[in-house]
Amino acid sequence: MSKDTFDIIVVGGGPVGAAAALALSRQGFETALVERGSAPPAYDPAYYDLRVYALAAHSMRLLDSLDTWQDIAAARLSPYGGMRVWERGPEHALRFDCADLGRTELGWIVEHSLVVAALWARLGEVVRYERAVVESAIFDEHASLLRLAGGRELRARLVVAADGADSQLRGLACIDTVGWHYAQRAIVCHVDTQRAHRGIAWQRFLASGPLAFLPLADGRCSIVWSAEEAHAGELLALDDAAFAARLGEAAEHALGEVLRTTPRLSFSLRLLHAQDYARPGLVLVGDAAHTVHPLAGQGVNLGFADVQQLTSTLVEARDAGRDWSASRRLHSYARARKAANLEMLAVTDGLYRAFRLRLPGLKAALGLGLEAVDKLGPLKSWLARQATA
Ligand SMILES: Cc1cc2nc3c(=O)[nH]c(=O)nc-3n(C[C@H](O)[C@H](O)[C@H](O)COP(=O)(O)OP(=O)(O)OC[C@H]3O[C@@H](n4cnc5c(N)ncnc54)[C@H](O)[C@@H]3O)c2cc1C
């Protein structure tokens, strides 16, 4: 095998791509990782990343199987044991507690930069191409080719596109997407609150968009506040004291006053779903295949589930002596993941609309808001399943 020829090339070294490259390499596939940026810097505990994920149990198990969970746990993570979700009055919140589900936690809040640094630090035998720009690609069953700027050619039996929501590879393969922009921005920052978060994730559904307070290891909360563009622009323009006051009011002071806030970042929000996750010689994983509203905190969790499914599909075929990179295997991966991803897209989009659109009769249909949801066993079980899967 010449130096630039591999079993599998993963394009995109974010959390999902790095996990895919590591998982596939650990299973004995000769793997390369192509990232257009630089390698992530080593994790610096003095810097608390403003981008955090709420990881579900299956994501923890994947990271554990890749020996990265121990590194993450040794650096910093924040387990949370409860969730409170409400529309009006935190005292009426829909409650989830890990004890009711027979678990010691519902999930973990982990920094994006820590997850990425921990995965990259374990890449070991994975050949890395950093600051690499893909200029063109040919996708073919068993024989795909990527041409990089500067003329280098990389060949592989399979290319995995993990290059995010604006996936260049998805475009090169002419895979259509469906979806829309929410005309909303998510504002994120870390805040000190008057009352302790007690290891609970708090989320209020406002008509203008959901607002989450996620518990951090140092006692602060990470905020994700989704609001319409104009409203978000107004919130971003406020000074820290005025923003903290608005935030406290918006959360109905569930944790008392907001005392201090870090600088704010913001992200525009959209829903996107690729019509195909597979073409001969190419599969999509992570945000390249599906991008969801962050209100359920599921984006990277879905991507990690893609990685688990793809790895097990390919390993099972190879170990049974079958052609692991044949299109039918790739379609079998796609079928398995599409159903779960579409369910999540539909539910998060449905929740977003249910609370944002003041449709006549909708509130009545929902009863008196989230108080009523507590009585809706099936929805509560669905939410609990997502939190603990
Ligand atoms: C405000 C907000 C809050 C969120 N909260 C949560 C949460 O609590 N829980 C959760 O599960 N998810 C959450 N998400 C979603 C989560 O951020 C994404 O689902 C996740 O980052 C997707 O990972 P990815 O690796 O697929 O893509 P990305 O993180 O976008 O990584 C893509 C990588 O590919 C590289 N790349 C891009 N194009 C190319 C190219 N052409 N060639 C080579 N490399 C390329 C990029 O440099 C990057 O390294 C949140 C999102 C937002 C906006």
Side-chain angles (χ1 to χ4, degrees):
M1 193 175 268
S2 88
K3 196 162 159 271
D4 290 339
T5 302
F6 305 92
D7 291 328
I8 299 172
I9 301 171
V10 178
V11 177
V16 176
L22 183 50
L24 293 163
S25 163
R26 289 280 177 98
Q27 291 296 334
F29 295 104
E30 291 207 50
T31 307
L33 178 62
V34 175
E35 166 59 46
R36 72 173 172 196
S38 306
Y43 177 66
D44 173 6
Y47 165 71
Y48 214 132
D49 195 350
L50 293 181
R51 275 185 71 184
V52 300
Y53 298 129
L55 293 184
H58 74 82
S59 296
M60 182 275 279
R61 287 194 296 273
L62 173 72
L63 293 169
D64 193 35
S65 73
L66 300 175
D67 298 324
T68 50
W69 189 250
Q70 62 202 48
D71 303 336
I72 292 169
R76 184 159 56 204
L77 59 73
S78 171
Y80 64 99
M83 276 170 71
R84 301 288 181 269
V85 184
W86 79 101
E87 188 184 13
R88 279 188 310 276
E91 65 281 10
H92 302 303
L94 177 67
R95 300 162 72 96
F96 298 97
D97 287 297
C98 54
D100 300 340
L101 300 163
R103 299 178 54 90
T104 46
E105 60 280 300
L106 286 180
W108 298 264
I109 309 298
V110 185
E111 292 153 83
H112 163 83
S113 55
L114 174 54
V115 173
V116 176
L119 287 163
W120 274 70
R122 296 266 173 191
L123 282 177
E125 292 181 0
V126 175
V127 177
R128 278 152 264 180
Y129 297 88
E130 294 158 29
R131 293 179 298 282
V133 175
V134 176
E135 278 197 340
S136 62
I138 298 170
F139 302 114
D140 208 350
E141 191 161 340
H142 312 314
S144 287
L145 170 75
L146 298 181
R147 197 165 287 118
L148 303 184
R152 194 161 202 164
E153 291 188 342
L154 310 183
R155 293 165 200 280
R157 284 178 66 169
L158 176 64
V159 171
V160 177
D163 51 347
D166 294 316
S167 174
Q168 178 197 11
L169 268 66
R170 187 183 65 219
L172 288 171
C174 299
I175 297 177
D176 286 337
T177 59
V178 289
W180 47 82
H181 287 267
Y182 281 111
Q184 279 202 335
R185 298 192 78 74
I187 300 171
V188 302
C189 62
H190 294 172
V191 299
D192 289 281
T193 52
Q194 194 178 8
R195 287 203 289 278
H197 56 56
R198 308 195 314 275
I200 291 171
W202 305 77
Q203 174 143 288
R204 182 176 183 207
F205 280 89
L206 291 141
S208 54
L211 165 62
F213 281 58
L214 306 174
L216 295 178
D218 64 2
R220 292 182 300 166
C221 288
S222 166
I223 300 305
V224 186
W225 188 356
S226 306
E228 279 164 32
E229 292 283 354
H231 184 206
E234 187 202 328
L235 293 171
L236 286 164
L238 294 173
D239 65 31
D240 285 355
F243 177 74
R246 292 281 286 276
L247 190 53
E249 280 162 28
E252 297 187 300
H253 300 108
L255 294 173
E257 300 291 334
V258 173
L259 304 173
R260 265 177 305 279
T261 150
T262 62
R264 287 148 258 166
L265 289 182
S266 74
F267 302 86
S268 69
L269 300 179
R270 63 170 142 164
L271 178 147
L272 177 146
H273 191 250
Q275 293 200 325
D276 296 310
Y277 292 5
R279 284 286 158 81
L282 174 73
V283 282
L284 309 185
V285 293
D287 274 26
H290 43 74
T291 305
V292 294
H293 195 292
L295 68 87
Q298 288 298 325
V300 85
N301 289 298
L302 294 179
F304 285 150
D306 295 345
V307 170
Q308 283 163 316
Q309 182 67 50
L310 179 65
T311 308
S312 66
T313 303
L314 300 185
V315 167
E316 210 176 285
R318 181 197 62 191
D319 292 354
R322 298 201 198 97
D323 179 357
W324 59 265
S325 57
S327 290
R328 56 189 305 189
R329 308 279 165 254
L330 311 185
H331 285 298
S332 136
Y333 151 77
R335 265 196 312 280
R337 287 307 303 150
K338 253 190 182 177
N341 291 336
L342 279 170
E343 182 190 4
M344 183 61 74
L345 257 67
V347 173
T348 52
D349 190 60
L351 274 174
Y352 161 81
R353 284 170 201 288
F355 290 96
R356 184 170 166 274
L357 300 178
R358 293 179 177 280
L359 296 178
L362 182 65
K363 297 275 168 175
L366 282 169
L368 296 170
L370 279 170
E371 261 178 288
V373 175
D374 215 358
K375 299 183 190 93
L376 299 177
L379 178 57
K380 182 164 175 172
S381 336
W382 183 88
L383 287 166
R385 224 176 39 244
Q386 300 313 312
T388 57

